[in-house]
Amino acid sequence: MKDSSGVVIIFNPDVPSHLKEIETWHSMFISSQSLQDNQYLLIAHHKPGSEVEDGRPPLASHLSRLPVIQSNLEEEPEDVRRAFCRYLGNVVNTMSENREREEMSIIT
């Protein structure tokens, strides 16, 4: 967790305990890192044969602003890949901005 630049949490939305565990993992990273919302990605992975709901899983209110993608690799693997690439782009941009701010603070 130390010096992490992003967090991806993959969970099964059909398992109620996973929704509670997301809160635990999120709070662990918030307490140890100062990550922005776009540096988190929640992937609601559906097992083959399970029904994929289009809506967001019932997450705690403080998690509602985090990006969530529905994952079913049998039916929509390309959608998951594109969403993950966008997430990685957000993380890289945030890292670059943080590095530039750090360099500017050293210069000034």
Side-chain angles (χ1 to χ4, degrees), residues 4-64:
S4 60
S5 298
V7 176
V8 177
I9 300 174
I10 302 170
F11 65 99
N12 183 343
D14 301 324
V15 178
S17 65
H18 284 191
L19 300 176
K20 191 67 175 164
E21 289 176 31
I22 291 170
E23 292 181 50
T24 303
W25 283 105
H26 183 261
S27 66
M28 287 174 58
F29 277 95
I30 284 200
S31 64
S32 64
Q33 304 293 317
S34 57
L35 299 178
Q36 300 172 14
D37 290 346
N38 68 351
Q39 291 173 276
Y40 288 92
L41 178 62
L42 303 178
I43 300 177
H45 182 68
H46 300 270
K47 291 185 176 183
S50 69
E51 191 171 316
V52 178
E53 296 178 16
D54 287 337
R56 290 178 63 90
L59 300 172
S61 61
H62 65 282
L63 300 175
S64 64

Side-chain angles (χ1 to χ4, degrees), residues 36-101:
Q36 300 172 14
D37 290 346
N38 68 351
Q39 291 173 276
Y40 288 92
L41 178 62
L42 303 178
I43 300 177
H45 182 68
H46 300 270
K47 291 185 176 183
S50 69
E51 191 171 316
V52 178
E53 296 178 16
D54 287 337
R56 290 178 63 90
L59 300 172
S61 61
H62 65 282
L63 300 175
S64 64
R65 63 186 186 275
L66 300 180
V68 178
I69 60 172
Q70 303 290 331
S71 164
N72 183 331
L73 298 179
E74 286 187 337
E75 295 179 17
E76 301 168 348
E78 193 59 28
D79 291 348
V80 175
R81 187 186 74 75
R82 277 194 300 272
F84 187 72
C85 286
R86 276 193 308 272
Y87 162 74
L88 287 178
N90 288 337
V91 169
V92 169
N93 286 340
T94 302
M95 288 173 56
S96 296
E97 290 169 3
N98 289 343
R99 187 176 318 116
E100 286 176 22
R101 265 194 302 275

